[in-house]
Amino acid sequence: MVSNQSLLDRSHHSVWHPCTQMKQHETLPLVPIRSGHGVWLEDFEGKRYLDGVSSWWVNLFGHNNSRIKDAIRQQLDQLEHVILAGFTHQPVVELSEKLSSLTGLGHSFYASDGASATEIALKMSFHYWRNIGKPEKTQFISLQNGYHGETLGSLSVTDVALFKDTYANLLRGSIALPSPDWRLAETGETPEQYALRCASAAEAHIAAHHTEIAAFILEPLIQCATGMAMYHPAYLVRIRDICNRYEIHLITDEIAVGFGRTGTMFAVEQAAIKPDFICLSKGITGGYLPLSVVQTTDEIYAAFYDDNVARGFLHSHSYTGNALACSAALATLAIFEQDDVLNINRSKAAYLNQRLQVLDELPISHLRNTGMIWAFEVQTDNPGFQKSFYQAALQRGLLLRPVANTVYFMPPYVISEDEMDWMVMQTVEILHKETT
Ligand SMILES: *Cc1c(COP(=O)(O)O)cnc(C)c1O
């Protein structure tokens, strides 16, 4: 019989957990999970946890979702996987057509993880310039506090010292431009004014260096990994224009924010811009199977189309375009269509925003919301706040993972009003204890 304790012990002996100093688990136990249903996860003793982080931002429509499960089951009886070099199959074609109709970008290149998608976009951009006779365009620019994954190429354009500094000697240099995060605005400056000021700073750099720059990679509207920094869409409008004028690709990394997280299907819609590359993953399969995709324009695709093999994009991953993962993605997109998800999310967001007014009486600041993401900073002198809040929440059956002093909510879209009430009530009670 598997129990909480036996699974913990075996996990300690055999699994190297991600983003973790394993020694910390001597005092902070792992949480063994047996099953999930809706927004809830359950351990082997029946204790439940509300998944307030959508299992690291991947789950959209709850755990154990019958429609996504059924789609995967049907696909299992048909075809689980086939090599995508030289072969094709129905789910990958249908998914590519659907994604194109949503983003207006003509071709889709698949991988399994977000970091692989950002690697692909960077390589494709560099290779495009080489193919059209501008091989000197080899540099990438990104934003301060940006996050694009942790493989060597994607880490090179990520700006998180804790993840990056150790590997500095392995990484390419890249320039990180000022983040339009509105919390950094001066007093009296609106988020929009600040966004435009940052865009001007970006333009100054680009004007001086554009001949060497291949692409500008950024997270549109919300920089999630560094604490849900939110910014005004005017930044994206200006950057799209600047990139056009200076012949630089715009890569929008919607790995975290795509599929409705910012309130629109894709964040770029709020700036009415079309990127040259869009990177998607995380929510794409509703949190069921690993899948990522880079979509690009027909013009970029055409620059690789040639009699010469080496002008083609010879990148590959074994599980590229996995049929089961594509079927989960198609089921996820079908739910968006069938359930009027974006509209319903708007009223859920309004409800939670109203509930969060109770935070006014607590020592917090910068309460913010975009779509289905909420965040605020907690004023505390406790250097161990992050860990202590995390543990207190787990004890109460709430899974939240603050980033330093930033507490955020990123629940599955199926969260009910009662569950939102409960999540807020627990948070308020924890904060009362943690800040007094
Ligand atoms: C999570 C994330 C990635 C990396 O995706 P993985 O699947 O973890 O490799 C890249 N970019 C953004 C914006 C992300 O949030």
Side-chain angles (χ1 to χ4, degrees), residues 176-187:
L177 301 170
S179 164
D181 172 1
W182 63 252
R183 290 171 301 171
L184 304 173
E186 311 231 311
T187 11

Side-chain angles (χ1 to χ4, degrees), residues 243-289:
C243 287
N244 284 346
R245 281 190 281 116
Y246 290 96
E247 290 202 292
I248 291 171
H249 289 143
L250 177 60
I251 304 173
T252 55
D253 175 353
E254 296 224 16
I255 289 165
V257 297
F259 302 100
R261 268 296 164 196
T262 66
T264 44
M265 195 60 170
F266 299 107
V268 289
E269 291 168 32
Q270 295 182 44
I273 59 154
K274 193 160 122 179
D276 300 291
F277 298 91
I278 190 167
C279 300
L280 303 170
S281 187
K282 291 204 167 116
I284 191 170
T285 63
Y288 266 73
L289 288 162

Side-chain angles (χ1 to χ4, degrees), residues 168-390:
N169 288 341
L170 298 179
L171 305 178
R172 290 184 96 233
S174 107
I175 299 289
L177 301 170
S179 164
D181 172 1
W182 63 252
R183 290 171 301 171
L184 304 173
E186 311 231 311
T187 11
E189 195 176 32
T190 65
E192 181 172 10
Q193 287 164 341
Y194 178 63
L196 293 173
R197 182 152 68 87
C198 289
S200 299
E203 180 161 12
H205 178 82
I206 290 169
H209 300 282
H210 64 99
T211 53
E212 303 126 51
I213 299 172
F216 189 168
I217 181 167
L218 53 74
E219 296 156 274
L221 294 189
I222 312 176
Q223 297 181 293
C224 294
T226 50
M228 306 298 162
M230 299 183 183
Y231 64 86
H232 197 280
Y235 185 77
L236 297 171
V237 177
R238 278 288 307 280
I239 293 299
R240 175 67 280 183
D241 174 55
I242 294 165
C243 287
N244 284 346
R245 281 190 281 116
Y246 290 96
E247 290 202 292
I248 291 171
H249 289 143
L250 177 60
I251 304 173
T252 55
D253 175 353
E254 296 224 16
I255 289 165
V257 297
F259 302 100
R261 268 296 164 196
T262 66
T264 44
M265 195 60 170
F266 299 107
V268 289
E269 291 168 32
Q270 295 182 44
I273 59 154
K274 193 160 122 179
D276 300 291
F277 298 91
I278 190 167
C279 300
L280 303 170
S281 187
K282 291 204 167 116
I284 191 170
T285 63
Y288 266 73
L289 288 162
L291 182 71
S292 64
V293 56
V294 177
Q295 290 193 283
T296 191
T297 61
D298 292 335
E299 186 209 334
I300 289 171
Y301 173 79
F304 291 78
Y305 199 83
D306 199 90
D307 292 327
N308 179 352
V309 173
R311 283 175 64 98
F313 192 60
L314 305 185
H315 185 102
S316 66
H317 296 286
S318 312
Y319 281 94
T320 292
N322 176 260
L324 293 174
C326 290
S327 72
L330 284 166
T332 300
L333 290 175
I335 294 174
F336 275 99
E337 284 171 16
Q338 290 155 10
D339 291 6
D340 197 18
V341 171
L342 297 178
N343 271 324
I344 290 169
N345 280 357
R346 257 190 281 282
S347 40
K348 287 191 183 188
Y351 182 84
L352 187 51
N353 279 329
Q354 196 226 335
R355 287 304 177 178
L356 286 174
Q357 284 171 11
V358 295
L359 293 174
D360 281 353
E361 59 195 65
L362 287 157
I364 65 122
S365 61
H366 296 127
L367 176 60
R368 55 195 180 277
N369 160 241
T370 302
M372 290 298 279
I373 301 179
W374 291 261
F376 55 87
E377 275 72 57
V378 177
Q379 262 82 63
T380 167
D381 298 329
N382 176 9
F385 170 80
Q386 180 176 18
K387 201 166 146 190
S388 137
F389 182 99
Y390 172 73

Side-chain angles (χ1 to χ4, degrees), residues 57 112-116 118 147-150 219 224-225 253-256 281-282:
W57 319 344
S112 309
D113 290 291
S116 312
T118 53
Y147 179 89
H148 301 289
E150 300 184 49
E219 296 156 274
C224 294
D253 175 353
E254 296 224 16
I255 289 165
S281 187
K282 291 204 167 116

